[in-house]
RNA sequence: GGCGCGAUAGCCAAGUGGUUAGGCACGGGUCUGCAAAACCUGUUACACCGGUUCAAUUCCGGUUCGCGCCUCCA
């Protein structure tokens, strides 16, 4: 089966055909660095990470760009409230963002352009729009995009402009627009902007939000590129605005495939600070969960499906990961130092094939994981029966490593117990021989405190990492 | 009001015109000093009403319920 994605533009599944045969160019809407990102944001970033890994799995060289929005209403408001410069205010949140994505096992994109580093590119793009007659200045020195000059406007979000009426949500200060749906390309400086301003052909001001994505994506990926992603909520107006301003400026198709992930809700309700169900990654780490566990929970539901985040789901993720970890541990043990067999054993080949087919089908993660777990079951069954050859185990390990290039879940860290744990384990072996069960159990409890679970097997006692530690 | 999405066993969640998805949880068993892990095993579902069909959870129509977007929220 060919690699297929659901394209929001056509509302249908389409075979992926990159512009350049072997390269996939991808733009992913990134964070606004006015606060710590929340788990809803990370749902999108984990989806995008899965996408880039899947593309690589299929053999494409990926060039991914993720923007950092470090100038907008919220960052300006935040910096002023904190009495800091915009840069000083956003810097820690940028750092935190990278720490967080590392904890979630999200691969680094090739480029993380910050909006404030690309104002000249944005100004140049706005000028192009002016030259083409697609933009106009208002009296205060702002510049707006004239949507009447772009016939396809609203196509992505399936918005019928005739149904749009200026309502309560149209801000009062936007009376200078010719049409209620016109959007700002450049915003003239106002009191609340403080010292956040750039010189432009239209006077002092700052860029609108949408223009940064067009300017930066085209700078790094070209005027037409393969994939653009974001949350559903960005479909309209943000992505429609991007299409309008980019295509109006270049006269070319902007993006071939648009992909949008559904929202995350918490306990069935929209996540919001007032409901007290608002979580950042840091909140979950404090509760003893790992980034890897959250990654699993965020990834295990198909990206176009609303994801209901619960702590039960996190606990289930922990248990599922424990099963995977244990399987890998046993495989390693069985493989020993054996060289991998030339051919995968049948069950492992099936596991790989099922996984690949599912991923190719619009990133069907449930199907992919099901295939992995079927492999786990079969492998465990063989090992329990003593029927798995070391060379086959080694080959299966390699195969799982390859699949993990997509999943990014199988902690390959081989934890070695410290000296204290090793000593306790040795002592326990001795007292068990003497049938001193009380002391034996005492040691097991102590090892648990150190983060280890004891497994007594015919081949001796083993230490296994406790979940969540 | 407009546009769109969803309803699958205790929970989460794929998928399919007729054949065991998977994970978590739970019960019984094997193994174990007891555990843990693993294996064996049990509970087997597709909101409701019509229609098409030899056959529908899967296609079509309708109903109910839930959700999202409709101007800067991933």
């Amino acid at each position: 089966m060919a690699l297929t994605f659901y394209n929001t533009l056509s509302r249908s599944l389409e075979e992926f055909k990159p512009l350049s045969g072997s390269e996939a160019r991808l733009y992913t809407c990134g964070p606004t660095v006015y606060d710590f990102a929340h788990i809803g944001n990370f749902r999108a970033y984990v989806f995008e990470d899965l996408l880039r890994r899947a593309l690589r799995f299929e053999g494409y060289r990926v060039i991914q760009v993720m923007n950092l929005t470090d100038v907008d209403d919220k960052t300006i408001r935040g910096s002023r409230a904190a009495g800091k410069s915009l840069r000083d205010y956003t810097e820690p949140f940028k750092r935190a963002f990278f720490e967080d994505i590392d904890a979630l096992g999200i691969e680094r994109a090739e480029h993380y352009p910050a909006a404030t580093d690309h104002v000249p590119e944005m100004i140049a793009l706005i000028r192009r729009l002016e030259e083409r007659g697609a933009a106009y200045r208002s009296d205060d020195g702002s510049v707006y995009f004239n949507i009447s000059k772009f016939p396809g406007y609203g196509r992505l979000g399936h918005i019928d402009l005739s149904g749009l009426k200026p309502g309560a949500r149209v801000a009062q200060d936007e009376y200078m627009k010719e049409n209620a749906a016109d959007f700002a390309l450049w915003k003239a400086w106002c009191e609340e902007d403080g010292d956040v301003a750039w010189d432009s052909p239209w006077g002092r001001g700052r860029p609108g939000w949408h223009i940064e994505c067009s300017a930066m994506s085209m700078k790094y990926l070209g005027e037409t590129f393969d994939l653009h992603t974001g949350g559903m909520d960005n479909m309209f107006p943000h992505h429609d605005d991007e299409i309008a301003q980019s295509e109006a400026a270049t006269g070319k198709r902007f993006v071939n495939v648009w992909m949008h992930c559904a929202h995350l809700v918490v306990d069935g309700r929209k996540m919001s600070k007032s409901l007290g169900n608002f979580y950042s990654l840091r909140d979950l780490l404090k509760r003893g969960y790992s980034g890897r566990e959250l990654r699993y929970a965020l990834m295990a539901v198909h990206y176009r499906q609303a994801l209901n985040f619960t702590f039960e789901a996190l606990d289930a993720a922990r248990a599922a990961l424990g099963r995977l970890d244990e399987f890998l541990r046993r495989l390693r043990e069985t493989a020993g130092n054996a060289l991998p067999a030339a051919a995968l054993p049948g069950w492992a080949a099936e596991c790989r094939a099922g996984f690949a087919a599912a991923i190719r089908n619009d990133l069907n993660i449930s199907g992919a994981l099901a295939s992995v777990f079927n492999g786990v079951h079969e492998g465990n069954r063989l090992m329990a029966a003593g029927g798995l050859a070391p060379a086959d185990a080694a080959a299966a390990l390699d195969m799982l490593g390859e699949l993990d290039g997509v999943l990014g879940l199988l902690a390959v860290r081989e934890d070695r117990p410290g000296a204290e744990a090793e000593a306790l384990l040795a002592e326990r072996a001795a007292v068990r021989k003497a049938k001193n069960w009380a002391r034996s159990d005492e040691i097991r409890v102590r090892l648990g405190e150190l983060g280890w679970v004891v497994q007594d097997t015919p081949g001796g006692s083993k230490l296994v990492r406790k979940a969540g530690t």
Side-chain angles (χ1 to χ4, degrees), chain A residues 122 124-135 145 149-150 185 211 214-215 218 223 241-254:
Chain A
M122 297 185 223
L125 185 58
I126 298 169
R127 291 207 59 135
R128 267 173 100 179
L129 288 167
E130 274 195 320
E131 282 158 20
R132 290 207 167 217
F145 184 87
K149 294 287 162 63
F150 192 76
L185 297 165
I211 198 70
S214 288
M218 292 198 280
E223 293 185 344
D241 289 354
E242 277 186 57
I243 292 171
Q245 66 200 181
S246 303
E247 298 192 352
T250 66
K252 295 178 192 163
R253 168 104 176 206
F254 178 45

Side-chain angles (χ1 to χ4, degrees), chain A residues 61 119 198 234 254 261 263 275 301 339 393 398 400 408 427 446:
Chain A
R61 197 162 58 250
V119 174
W198 286 263
N234 278 159
F254 178 45
C261 73
H263 270 201
L275 284 174
V301 175
L339 290 171
D398 284 353
L400 288 168
E427 184 195 342
R446 175 67 193 130

Side-chain angles (χ1 to χ4, degrees), chain A residues 250-261:
Chain A
T250 66
K252 295 178 192 163
R253 168 104 176 206
F254 178 45
V255 170
N256 282 332
V257 181
W258 289 86
M259 296 172 76
H260 293 93
C261 73

